[in-house]
Amino acid sequence: MTTTIDNPRPRLAATDATDGGVAARRRTAGLALLALATGAFAIGTTEFVSMGLLPQLASGVGVDIPTAGHVISAYAVGVVVGAPVLAVLGARLPRRGLLLALMGVILLGNALTSIAPSYGALMGARFVSGLPHGAFFGVAALVAADLVAPHRRAQAVSLVMTGLTVATLLGVPAATWLGQGLGWRAAYGLVVALAALTLVLLALLVPRVPADRGASGRTELRALKEPQVLLTALAGAIGFGGMFAIYTYIAPTVTEVAGQREGMVPVYLLSFGVGSVLGTLVGGRLADWSILRSTVLGAAAMGVLLAAYAVTSQWLVPGMLTVFLISASGGVFTIGLQMRLIQVAGKARTLGAALNHSALNAANALGAWLGGLTVAGGLGYPSTAWVGVGLSLLGLVVLGVSVTLQRRTTLAAATA
């Protein structure tokens, strides 16, 4: 059974029976997806580069490393706050114009980061940088889905999200290398350049896309009253926390549990990044087959593999392979989650799509915090994997409640 997504307005391209018309539409869609993926690449770079430059950030603004770590939290808070707020405020704006405005804020936030004279200014700049994150991905997902045929919507969204995962492979290492060589401010200068490039590509390659018919801030806010929207977002905020429970502590796990030298940590991270890219692409195809089944499959596989990682983390190759598979299953889960939020949000598609990234950033904080508790309690780094198993199972339970409630509502409506 294939799940479809209701679209409150007609598709952008009319049906054209000629081969030339089909090819032209595909080229237009492909170039637009490239522009959107470039924006995702820029956002992924700025989101994760701070983690690799914490010592330089701390030295640059005169604080210790743990205190400098709060700039990462400031960005995450910006994402959680900005996704619903900007989605509501921008609901009636044309999609391309909204994307340009959001990328402009990203450019501004990173420019302010690159010139921040103090710790307080740096915190504020990172908060501003995070504000457009979720809304940009949400609107980009809607535009991508509307550019293609219904049976390819999830694949189109996954191609945009691939920009984020490729950033972990290329953008973050390049920005980190630049920041270490020329100073941490240069890393955010690179993001400014990427944001500027994205603005040009969006203006040139993304077609004019009107807002959904009847869209308004009030309509978007109604999504927050919908149990399906809230339960789906909660499933992501809890279930994906298992991924971050191990990812946050992967470096000490490699060196202290597997007994490897520090030089192997980037190899593990590379394995994680490749798995994420592959899982995101596969997740698009699976979600076009069935949104619900692919979401459940990704969450269940992640839970099983996290349990395996509690054992395999003590060995180099098995541990690396398990990390690869965990990341791939996480990619499948997040694409399914993104598409389900768009589906259950109804007419509030902008907010529904944006909430996915609020949920994932909440998962980041939850997984890192709970994993840290077990490590601090003396249970060792492999215990973070069991935290991940628990979170994955709990996420599946929440998703199960969502599906059960949805089916009961559908049955009641059919028999009324």
Side-chain angles (χ1 to χ4, degrees), residues 303-362:
V304 171
L305 290 164
L306 283 164
Y309 185 66
V311 178
T312 62
S313 59
Q314 62 185 303
W315 299 298
L316 175 61
V317 175
M320 194 180 305
L321 178 61
T322 309
V323 164
F324 169 83
L325 293 174
I326 290 172
S327 179
S329 62
V332 172
F333 177 64
T334 55
I335 292 298
L337 197 72
Q338 176 78 84
M339 301 308 294
R340 180 167 173 79
L341 277 168
I342 295 174
Q343 181 187 54
V344 300
K347 293 183 179 180
R349 299 197 310 155
T350 305
L351 181 57
L355 281 177
N356 187 42
H357 298 277
S358 289
L360 297 183
N361 275 268

Side-chain angles (χ1 to χ4, degrees), residues 138-171:
V139 176
L142 296 180
V143 172
D146 289 340
L147 283 171
V148 299
H151 67 279
R152 296 186 61 242
R153 285 175 177 165
Q155 293 178 58
V157 173
S158 72
L159 288 173
V160 174
M161 292 294 292
T162 299
L164 176 64
T165 56
V166 171
T168 64
L169 288 176
L170 302 176

Side-chain angles (χ1 to χ4, degrees), residues 401-412:
V401 171
S402 170
V403 173
T404 301
L405 180 61
Q406 186 179 41
R407 287 177 176 172
R408 287 180 179 175
T409 303
T410 302
L411 181 61

Side-chain angles (χ1 to χ4, degrees), residues 210-232:
D212 292 340
R213 283 195 299 263
S216 68
R218 181 175 298 179
T219 301
E220 296 293 332
L221 284 173
R222 287 175 187 161
L224 297 178
K225 297 181 180 179
E226 292 294 329
Q228 290 302 321
V229 173
L230 298 177
L231 285 170
T232 302

Side-chain angles (χ1 to χ4, degrees), residues 36-136:
L36 296 172
T38 303
F41 183 85
I43 294 174
T45 301
T46 193
E47 180 180 14
F48 295 110
V49 71
S50 299
M51 300 173 186
L53 293 175
L54 272 186
Q56 290 82 3
L57 286 171
S59 176
V61 295
V63 297
D64 57 27
I65 291 178
T67 302
H70 294 162
V71 303
I72 298 173
S73 301
Y75 184 93
V77 171
V79 177
V80 173
V81 171
V85 171
L86 295 180
V88 170
L89 292 177
R92 301 181 67 176
L93 298 177
R95 300 296 187 198
R96 185 175 67 177
L98 181 54
L99 286 169
L100 288 168
L102 292 169
M103 186 52 60
V105 177
I106 291 169
L107 188 154
L108 174 63
N110 282 278
L112 292 174
T113 299
S114 69
I115 62 173
S118 65
Y119 174 69
L122 182 61
M123 287 284 286
R126 295 315 292 158
F127 176 78
V128 171
S129 298
L131 285 173
H133 177 126
F136 182 90

Side-chain angles (χ1 to χ4, degrees), residues 198-409:
T198 301
L199 285 171
V200 174
L201 294 178
L202 290 175
L204 294 178
L205 302 179
V206 175
R208 294 180 181 273
V209 185
D212 292 340
R213 283 195 299 263
S216 68
R218 181 175 298 179
T219 301
E220 296 293 332
L221 284 173
R222 287 175 187 161
L224 297 178
K225 297 181 180 179
E226 292 294 329
Q228 290 302 321
V229 173
L230 298 177
L231 285 170
T232 302
L234 182 61
I238 295 174
F240 203 66
M243 173 81 73
F244 289 107
I246 67 160
Y247 184 79
T248 305
Y249 304 98
I250 195 168
T253 301
V254 171
T255 56
E256 298 184 27
V257 178
Q260 302 298 315
R261 54 187 177 84
E262 288 187 354
M264 289 306 300
V265 173
V267 179
Y268 265 73
L269 295 177
L270 177 64
S271 176
F272 184 95
V274 172
S276 183
V277 172
L278 179 62
T280 299
L281 294 173
V282 172
R285 291 187 174 274
L286 289 176
D288 277 329
W289 161 65
S290 171
I291 293 175
L292 178 59
R293 292 173 185 173
S294 66
T295 307
V296 172
L297 177 64
M302 194 161 48
V304 171
L305 290 164
L306 283 164
Y309 185 66
V311 178
T312 62
S313 59
Q314 62 185 303
W315 299 298
L316 175 61
V317 175
M320 194 180 305
L321 178 61
T322 309
V323 164
F324 169 83
L325 293 174
I326 290 172
S327 179
S329 62
V332 172
F333 177 64
T334 55
I335 292 298
L337 197 72
Q338 176 78 84
M339 301 308 294
R340 180 167 173 79
L341 277 168
I342 295 174
Q343 181 187 54
V344 300
K347 293 183 179 180
R349 299 197 310 155
T350 305
L351 181 57
L355 281 177
N356 187 42
H357 298 277
S358 289
L360 297 183
N361 275 268
N364 189 345
L366 180 65
W369 175 61
L370 292 177
L373 289 181
T374 63
V375 173
L379 298 179
Y381 290 108
S383 67
T384 60
W386 294 115
V387 170
V389 172
L391 289 173
S392 294
L393 290 176
L394 187 55
L396 275 171
V397 169
V398 174
L399 190 59
V401 171
S402 170
V403 173
T404 301
L405 180 61
Q406 186 179 41
R407 287 177 176 172
R408 287 180 179 175
T409 303

